[in-house]
Amino acid sequence: MIKIKLPDGSIKEYEKAVTALEVASDISKGLAKSVVAAKIDGNVRSLTDPIKQDSDLLLLKFEDEGADHVYRHTSSHIMAHAVTSLFPGTKLAIGPSINNGFYYDFDTDHIFTDEDFPLIEKKMEEIIKADYPIERFTLPKNEALDFVKNNPYKYELVTDLDENEDISFYRQNDFVDLCAGPHLPSTGKVKVVKILSVAGAYWRGDEKNKMLQRLYATSFPSQAMLDEYIYKMEEAKKRDHRKLGKELDLYDIFEEGPGFPFFFPKGMEIRNQLIDYWRREHKRAGYGEIQTPIILNEELWHRSGHWDHYKNNMYFTTIDEGNYAIKPMNCPGGMLAFKRRMYSYRDLPLRTAELGLVHRHELSGALHGLMRVRCFTQDDAHIFMTEDQMKQEIVGVINLMEKIYSLFNFEYKVELSTKPENSMGTKEQWDIAENALQEALESLNMKYELNPGDGAFYGPKIDFHIQDSIGRTWQCGTIQLDFQMPERFDLTYMGADGNKHRPVMLHRALFGSIERFIAILTEHYAGAFPVWLSPVQVKILPLTDRQAEYAQKIRDILMANDIRVECDFRSEKIGYKIREAQLEKIPYMIVVGDKEMENNQVAVRVRKVGDIGTMFLEEFQNRIVKEINEKV
RNA sequence: GCUGACAUAGCUCAGUCGGUAGAGCACCUCAUUGGUAAUGAGGAGGUCGGCAGUUCGAUUCUGCUUGUCAGCUCCA
């Protein structure tokens, strides 16, 4: 007798092995129809996997966590099935589910274009309609290798699998794919599919390998859900900072300087507000600010290790026959600044901050608006400290980071990146540094992911990643521990014992890059910045020419109080002026007509709520100044 | 850098099966002086990304090139 325990506590008993699908059928036909996978003792499994012993069973619908991945994984098999039948000879590589969809990598002479999409979709629909059962079978490794011998990709995948375990395959009609599963019970479970795009992707993500063709697609249990998804994506694209930056006249990048952004007066206003805020917070947190040159001689970069580890990303120039480099990082300059004099242990931790403009040769294909550029301003800082001070300083930086990120209500993901292949220093130094970062994270109970091999060449790092409007994540803040630079530059401080000691160094950036951070902010607020950041905070809209003088008077008063204000004196109707101010996403509009002028008042319209009525200027001013100061 | 797609007025886009281009918005002028998301009329604006080739003739076809977009790789 097998006992199946359901989430409501009830228990179903079966004489012999049963499948989750059968259990669902026993409960109700409708349930059996809507369920897509099963969680058996906590593991997501196919509905058709036999349950041979007493188990906890949770039936998963598409909406339940993990179920969409099963649904999309089967969808990817259906797409591979369709592609191999339409383009015989196509070799399959890998085809996983991803968030909101799935992809499959193909190796074929046929070059996929958008025009192929409807064809492939049509074939997929046929496969769905045929409702082929999906069957799992396993082979021992040697037989599995023989089975996939005509496909070098699958052969490589099987080769890497464990010798002692049977290797599973899934079959639907004449299509078979190597796959760990789980899967839907039959192809008919998938309802609507849509191929979204095609792009190149290297086999196993290695640029030395062959580039395959990757078809991105998605699938849903209903057309309405697909439509909603597509609508959401289109809405999200309207928040794209490249579009908004241009529309709101904040910043742009021209063909004359790929990856080298221009900031216009309104963009500079946001930038300067951010920097003002940054300066205040850093003063309070005990940082001194420095500025180091953009160009320094080549020898410095040999000394720092950048020549050996970072040369490909650097720009060079010559001055009076001497070789110079344009800085890709601020640290070597920061080293020189530290070395200018002798420090006592009493000076440590020494926190020096720098808004440093760095230039990096990024691959042309990697450029992306303000998110990935070739010159950007890091809100960098270098903290020189004793080993004893490490943890406390890391914690201090994390707290400052959280303070700043919470001001913007950002959700972020934390990663701990460890020793890369091409790195400086000993394993022991790396271990100490990695442990220090890890301990700091754990002492703060922070959730983080391990990102092995992704540290900087001089040390491990904690990275803070924030999502853009369509869910791509970008690294912003970073905290990097470095034992190498102090050694390379022979940094020392005088200890209490009267001997010279070597400090440890911490590199960190909170915004990461001002440019990227502004891009993230633009998308986060969809261009409707909070009042303190808004390039124009108030727009005064006189109803007619009669109020022009009064409007100017109000403007002068607000300007004198450091409020960023503009007047719209054009002879347009009020509706038109409001519409335009609204599209410019200006937080406050002041409408003045004869009534307001007579009573010495202003009619206030708030961007998000509309008309809030008339008040005296002072009242309005108190309101907006409070909002600016509180940064709400 | 790689794979694919794209590039027409400041912006969003239409168009020419090869005969040097058009709309809306924005801009300028004039009229209009209005009450919370588009007043009307007129005007100006493009060597159709750049360089070659094919052709009597190229914005259109071909090659190269620059840039952009999506993804891969890389990264703040």
Side-chain angles (χ1 to χ4, degrees):
Chain A
M1 199 59 96
I2 297 166
K3 288 183 182 146
I4 307 288
K5 193 174 165 207
L6 297 166
D8 64 358
S10 65
I11 291 175
K12 284 202 172 279
E13 296 191 343
Y14 293 89
E15 293 288 334
K16 51 184 192 298
V18 67
T19 67
L21 190 59
E22 286 162 354
V23 177
S25 284
D26 287 347
I27 296 168
S28 91
K29 280 263 158 55
L31 182 64
K33 214 173 162 189
S34 63
V35 75
V36 301
K39 204 174 233 178
I40 300 166
D41 291 334
N43 300 313
V44 178
R45 309 292 297 270
S46 302
L47 288 172
T48 48
D49 282 357
I51 306 172
K52 295 173 184 161
Q53 57 197 15
D54 293 357
S55 308
D56 286 351
L57 174 67
L58 178 62
L59 293 163
L60 302 175
K61 293 184 181 182
F62 179 81
E63 295 78 10
D64 296 323
E65 201 190 339
D68 57 330
H69 281 273
V70 177
Y71 195 89
R72 265 64 179 267
H73 198 164
T74 296
S75 306
S76 98
H77 277 213
I78 295 171
M79 183 165 75
H81 189 168
V83 167
T84 47
S85 74
L86 286 169
F87 305 97
T90 298
K91 292 194 179 72
L92 303 178
I94 53 163
S97 66
I98 51 176
N99 286 341
N100 299 316
F102 58 94
Y103 66 78
Y104 215 111
D105 286 349
F106 301 103
D107 180 6
T108 166
D109 292 336
H110 174 80
I111 292 165
F112 292 116
T113 65
D114 307 11
E115 283 143 38
D116 295 322
F117 296 177
L119 238 74
I120 299 168
E121 283 165 4
K122 193 163 165 264
K123 194 78 196 174
M124 289 174 75
E125 280 153 20
E126 284 172 31
I127 294 165
I128 289 166
K129 210 164 177 197
D131 196 18
Y132 300 121
I134 296 170
E135 296 151 7
R136 180 177 191 267
F137 66 93
T138 60
L139 293 174
K141 186 165 175 176
N142 58 341
E143 286 177 37
L145 278 174
D146 188 58
F147 192 83
V148 299
K149 63 179 184 292
N150 293 324
N151 181 323
Y153 306 106
K154 299 293 181 190
Y155 193 87
E156 198 179 316
L157 292 175
V158 174
T159 304
D160 290 351
L161 291 173
D162 193 335
E163 197 70 44
N164 303 315
E165 273 182 44
D166 279 353
I167 288 152
S168 66
F169 291 83
Y170 282 80
R171 184 202 310 277
Q172 57 202 45
N173 196 28
D174 59 346
F175 174 85
V176 180
D177 197 5
L178 167 74
C179 183
H183 276 283
L184 301 176
S186 67
T187 57
K189 275 272 181 185
V190 173
K191 295 302 175 197
V192 285
V193 291
K194 173 132 187 99
I195 299 177
L196 301 169
S197 63
V198 56
Y202 301 107
W203 166 239
R204 299 209 133 178
D206 189 334
E207 59 185 329
K208 291 185 208 81
N209 290 339
K210 182 170 183 179
M211 183 162 268
L212 308 170
Q213 294 185 73
R214 176 174 296 178
L215 288 178
Y216 282 92
T218 193
S219 61
F220 284 95
S222 75
Q223 184 66 41
M225 286 170 85
L226 172 65
D227 291 346
E228 192 196 331
Y229 172 74
I230 291 170
Y231 175 77
K232 265 192 181 161
M233 288 304 282
E234 276 164 11
E235 285 301 297
K237 277 183 196 152
K238 290 182 188 163
R239 301 167 81 106
D240 190 315
H241 76 282
R242 292 166 296 188
K243 188 174 156 65
L244 286 171
K246 201 178 290 211
E247 281 171 9
L248 300 175
D249 202 28
L250 305 175
Y251 43 77
D252 204 357
I253 297 174
F254 304 126
E255 190 167 339
E256 289 81 353
F260 299 113
F262 283 65
F263 277 80
F264 311 124
K266 286 180 180 165
M268 280 309 288
E269 199 60 68
I270 295 170
R271 202 182 157 109
N272 288 334
Q273 290 304 321
L274 274 179
I275 289 174
D276 285 353
Y277 167 66
W278 182 91
R279 286 219 161 91
R280 272 198 305 282
E281 289 301 327
H282 280 73
K283 266 186 197 151
R284 287 176 189 170
Y287 287 79
E289 186 176 348
I290 64 168
Q291 187 168 73
T292 69
I294 286 172
I295 300 177
L296 290 163
N297 83 20
E298 195 183 286
E299 186 278 325
L300 175 74
W301 304 95
H302 284 279
R303 227 192 303 166
S304 68
H306 284 82
W307 187 267
D308 292 331
H309 298 272
Y310 209 72
K311 197 173 154 219
N312 290 340
N313 283 295
M314 292 171 66
Y315 300 112
F316 296 95
T317 187
T318 347
I319 303 173
D320 293 343
E321 289 156 44
N323 295 325
Y324 285 78
I326 298 160
K327 68 175 176 184
M329 296 189 196
N330 303 301
C331 33
M335 297 295 107
L336 298 182
F338 181 89
K339 267 182 88 71
R340 75 190 184 281
R341 68 180 183 88
M342 193 64 208
Y343 290 96
S344 149
Y345 69 96
R346 293 192 189 89
D347 296 320
L348 307 187
L350 182 77
R351 307 187 188 101
T352 47
E354 171 172 19
L355 290 166
L357 176 62
V358 297
H359 289 71
R360 297 182 182 177
H361 181 104
E362 296 294 337
L363 295 178
S364 58
L367 301 179
H368 185 98
L370 242 43
M371 296 284 192
R372 176 77 87 347
V373 287
R374 285 184 171 147
C375 77
F376 57 97
T377 307
Q378 287 184 308
D379 65 321
D380 213 342
H382 298 109
I383 301 177
F384 304 90
M385 60 204 172
T386 66
E387 277 197 38
D388 295 342
Q389 293 167 336
M390 267 187 337
K391 197 176 144 190
Q392 153 210 334
E393 284 305 303
I394 297 165
V395 168
V397 172
I398 293 175
N399 286 336
L400 188 55
M401 188 103 64
E402 281 195 313
K403 183 176 182 187
I404 290 180
Y405 285 17
S406 65
L407 174 63
F408 302 104
N409 292 318
F410 280 146
E411 285 185 27
Y412 53 88
K413 206 177 74 194
V414 180
E415 285 183 12
L416 176 61
S417 298
T418 56
K419 189 170 183 290
E421 273 178 37
N422 175 18
S423 64
M424 301 192 307
T426 64
K427 175 93 173 53
E428 289 69 39
Q429 289 172 320
W430 277 82
D431 284 345
I432 296 171
E434 286 170 10
N435 285 336
L437 292 176
Q438 197 171 348
E439 275 173 30
L441 285 171
E442 273 158 19
S443 75
L444 289 167
N445 273 324
M446 289 193 81
K447 267 194 201 158
Y448 67 94
E449 279 171 37
L450 203 61
N451 197 356
D454 216 33
F457 68 82
Y458 45 77
K461 53 182 188 167
I462 296 172
D463 292 329
F464 292 72
H465 297 253
I466 305 178
Q467 280 192 5
D468 70 10
S469 59
I470 62 168
R472 292 177 291 215
T473 69
W474 300 89
Q475 187 192 312
C476 290
T478 181
I479 303 172
Q480 313 177 347
L481 211 44
D482 182 357
F483 288 89
Q484 307 309 319
M485 296 280 159
E487 202 164 298
R488 292 226 162 199
F489 284 85
D490 191 26
L491 302 189
T492 56
Y493 64 90
M494 189 62 75
D497 57 3
N499 294 320
K500 283 187 177 176
H501 296 271
R502 178 132 299 152
V504 184
M505 186 170 109
L506 189 152
H507 311 237
R508 51 109 276 196
L510 305 180
F511 295 146
S513 109
I514 307 276
E515 289 75 7
R516 178 175 288 180
F517 202 78
I518 289 174
I520 294 272
L521 281 175
T522 306
E523 303 200 353
H524 180 68
Y525 292 118
F529 296 95
V531 186
W532 73 280
L533 281 175
S534 284
V536 178
Q537 295 168 317
V538 182
K539 194 149 184 175
I540 303 171
L541 313 175
L543 221 51
T544 74
D545 293 346
R546 286 191 302 280
Q547 298 88 29
E549 208 177 313
Y550 181 60
Q552 275 186 53
K553 195 180 106 191
I554 295 168
R555 180 184 64 185
D556 292 346
I557 294 170
L558 293 176
M559 271 172 83
N561 284 284
D562 295 320
I563 292 163
R564 301 186 288 275
V565 53
E566 280 182 358
C567 285
D568 187 346
F569 291 125
R570 295 173 305 172
S571 64
E572 298 292 349
K573 286 162 73 167
I574 196 65
Y576 182 87
K577 293 184 184 182
I578 286 168
R579 176 184 157 79
E580 229 165 65
Q582 197 77 39
L583 291 174
E584 287 172 62
K585 301 179 194 286
I586 293 167
Y588 283 102
M589 286 167 239
I590 285 180
V591 177
V592 287
D594 287 335
K595 270 188 286 178
E596 289 76 20
M597 196 162 67
E598 277 163 32
N599 303 321
N600 218 14
Q601 284 191 318
V602 291
V604 179
R605 186 186 165 95
V606 183
R607 174 176 58 195
K608 285 170 195 155
V609 274
D611 190 358
I612 59 165
T614 49
M615 58 186 80
F616 290 105
L617 182 61
E618 201 186 328
E619 196 184 338
F620 169 72
Q621 202 176 302
N622 291 341
R623 175 188 169 122
I624 191 169
V625 167
K626 184 164 178 275
E627 219 170 292
I628 291 167
N629 290 340
E630 288 172 4
K631 296 190 167 50
V632 287

